């Protein structure tokens, strides 16, 4: 049911005023971002994917390095997946990199290397949803396709004083985004909407006094801008304890394994280990996991480091121990591949962020011993 104070639509004169005000503000105050200096759909696509879960200031150096390393769709399609994951290392959510790579190969096979220009064809590529497709087609080709990322959801929820969590009424939000989109200037309008959410209509304490939409914003008029958007009540985030082994052999090499392609962090390398079972010590867990996953017997030695890391739906603590190889050739029972490598060679492999901190701890340990 719609609250008495919530708007569910806007009149055409109101829409026109909102468009004009937003575009004028953007012309004066829009951000200068590297992907706004190009209309190359490939470069804009890369930026859109990187920005899906990551902040602008983190993305900029990755974006610039990526385009140097893979300047075209053809160059990306021809790259080895390990190079692609290495270039992505540290950005997290690695399915984004694997999908970019796979989509580049599909574009080479099905679109003769040209980024597709219809919404239907863009949506058929792996890793591209409705808002990313809208972002690419409007920014690169000035097509009138709406967007609805997290920032835009918040702005629209406040503009209309939406009094339910946005994720419960996503189609309603899409219809507002489409209603407002300026069909004469879709590129600038969508960019402006993203900037408004990122710079003024921020999650906490929005800067309403500076906002081009303040005279029309229902949340501002009801002084509800700090309550909207309403949030879904969240259950506690699970916390997993993981035992991790840095297994040394007699040649001073360390064992690493490559995670299966499907699933979290697929295709990346890691130090082997697994989740503690109830009543188990970290040492017992490591011994059991290495036997089950690699078919090896090891001796668990000194503690190296604990690493805490937050993923989107859970937290982990990696309890890392030095271990010594006793018997059994390592077998990739629950991973795609295993390798013995030296400490120096570790930097050539793509690792998840939490494992990079183990590598740093290993370098410190070797420097001090
Ligand atoms: S007036 Fe305030 S709450 Fe409304 S859109 Fe602008 S910044 Fe957001």
């Amino acid at each position: 049911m719609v609250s008495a104070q919530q708007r569910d639509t806007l009149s055409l004169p109101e829409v026109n005023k909102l468009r004009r005000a937003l575009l004028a503000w953007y012309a004066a105050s829009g951000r200068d971002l590297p992907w706004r200096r190009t209309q190359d759909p490939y470069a804009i696509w890369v930026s859109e994917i990187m920005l899906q879960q990551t902040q602008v200031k983190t993305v900029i150096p990755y974006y610039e390095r990526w385009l140097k390393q893979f300047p075209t769709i053809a160059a990306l399609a021809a790259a080895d997946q390990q190079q692609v994951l290495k270039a992505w290392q540290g950005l997290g959510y690695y399915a984004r990199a694997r999908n970019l790579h796979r989509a580049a190969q599909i574009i080479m096979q099905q679109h003769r290397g040209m980024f597709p220009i219809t919404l239907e064809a863009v949506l058929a590529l792996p890793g591209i949803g409705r808002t990313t497709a809208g972002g690419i087609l409007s920014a690169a080709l000035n097509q009138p396709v709406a967007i609805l990322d997290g920032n835009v959801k918040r702005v629209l929820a406040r503009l209309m004083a939406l009094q339910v969590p946005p994720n419960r009424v996503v189609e309603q939000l899409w219809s507002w985004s489409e209603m407002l989109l300026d069909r004469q200037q879709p590129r600038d309008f969508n960019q402006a909407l993203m900037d408004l959410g990122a710079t003024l209509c921020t999650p906490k304490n929005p800067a309403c006094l500076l906002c081009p939409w303040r005279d029309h914003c229902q949340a501002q008029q009801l002084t509800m801008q700090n309550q909207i958007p309403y949030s879904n009540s969240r259950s506690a985030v699970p916390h997993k304890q993981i035992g991790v082994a840095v297994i040394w052999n007699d040649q001073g090499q360390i064992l690493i394994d490559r995670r299966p392609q499907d699933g979290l962090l697929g295709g990346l390398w890691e130090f082997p280990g697994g989740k503690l079972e109830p009543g188990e010590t970290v040492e017992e867990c490591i011994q059991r996991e290495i036997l089950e996953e690699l078919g090896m017997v090891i001796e668990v030695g000194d503690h190296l480091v604990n690493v805490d890391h937050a993923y989107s739906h859970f937290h982990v603590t990696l309890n890392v121990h030095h271990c010594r190889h006793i018997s059994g050739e390592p077998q990739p029972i629950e991973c795609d591949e295993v390798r013995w490598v030296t400490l120096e060679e570790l930097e050539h492999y793509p690792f998840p962020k939490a494992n990079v901190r183990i590598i740093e701890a290993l370098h410190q340990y070797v420097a001090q011993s």
Side-chain angles (χ1 to χ4, degrees), residues 154-156 158-159 196 200-202 205-221 224-226 228:
R154 182 173 59 254
V155 174
L156 297 180
R158 286 174 173 161
L159 176 70
L196 184 63
L200 297 184
C201 197
T202 48
N205 300 321
C208 300
L209 283 175
L210 303 173
C211 178
W213 281 2
R214 68 185 173 279
D215 293 343
H216 300 270
C217 174
Q218 196 71 356
Q220 208 270 137
Q221 280 163 30
M224 291 179 75
Q225 62 270 43
N226 280 312
I228 296 175

Side-chain angles (χ1 to χ4, degrees), residues 45-288:
W45 169 37
V46 170
S47 74
E48 285 280 339
I49 300 295
M50 288 183 170
L51 288 164
Q52 277 173 359
Q53 315 276 355
T54 313
Q55 292 188 335
V56 164
K57 69 175 189 309
T58 308
V59 163
I60 290 174
Y62 277 92
Y63 169 82
E64 287 172 345
R65 278 198 302 271
W66 184 279
L67 289 182
K68 279 200 189 99
Q69 192 173 353
F70 312 116
T72 60
I73 292 174
L76 176 59
D80 182 77
Q81 192 200 54
Q82 294 292 293
Q83 286 175 285
V84 173
L85 292 173
K86 188 71 191 165
W88 198 269
Q89 182 172 297
L91 273 180
Y93 300 94
Y94 289 85
R96 296 184 292 172
R98 291 194 300 275
N99 283 332
L100 262 173
H101 189 216
R102 209 149 50 85
Q105 292 169 339
I106 292 170
I107 293 171
M108 294 308 293
Q109 289 156 9
Q110 297 180 5
H111 302 282
R112 289 180 291 155
M114 307 288 287
F115 194 87
I117 59 168
T118 67
L119 181 59
E120 193 188 6
V122 175
L123 283 172
L125 295 171
I128 300 189
R130 199 165 154 193
T131 194
T132 303
I136 300 168
L137 290 172
S138 61
L141 302 164
N142 210 20
Q143 287 188 18
V145 188
I147 55 167
L148 190 67
D149 66 6
N151 282 338
V152 174
K153 280 183 191 164
R154 182 173 59 254
V155 174
L156 297 180
R158 286 174 173 161
L159 176 70
M160 308 298 274
L162 179 69
Q163 288 167 46
V164 292
N167 287 343
R168 287 204 211 146
V169 287
V170 172
E171 280 310 314
Q172 171 81 85
L173 287 154
W174 272 110
S175 74
W176 290 338
S177 186
E178 278 159 6
M179 168 180 72
L180 284 159
L181 177 64
D182 188 321
R183 283 169 165 68
Q184 308 307 313
Q185 301 182 64
R187 172 186 294 131
D188 286 351
F189 183 88
N190 279 345
Q191 298 299 316
L193 197 51
M194 286 191 248
D195 274 16
L196 184 63
T199 63
L200 297 184
C201 197
T202 48
K204 286 191 187 138
N205 300 321
C208 300
L209 283 175
L210 303 173
C211 178
W213 281 2
R214 68 185 173 279
D215 293 343
H216 300 270
C217 174
Q218 196 71 356
Q220 208 270 137
Q221 280 163 30
L222 299 168
T223 57
M224 291 179 75
Q225 62 270 43
N226 280 312
Q227 280 153 264
I228 296 175
Y230 285 24
S231 62
N232 294 303
S233 54
R234 291 203 179 168
S235 51
V237 179
H239 190 158
K240 300 181 189 177
Q241 293 289 340
I242 311 285
V244 176
V246 173
I247 307 171
W248 296 88
N249 67 12
D250 291 342
Q251 290 76 47
Q253 294 167 308
I254 300 164
L255 191 71
I256 57 173
D257 69 77
R258 188 154 56 85
R259 295 176 66 94
Q261 283 292 323
D262 300 325
L264 185 71
L265 309 172
L268 272 83
W269 292 81
E270 65 176 6
F271 299 95
K275 207 167 87 178
L276 255 73
E277 290 189 348
E280 209 175 33
T281 65
V282 170
E283 288 85 350
E284 287 163 352
C285 161
I286 291 174
Q287 235 154 10
R288 174 183 54 74

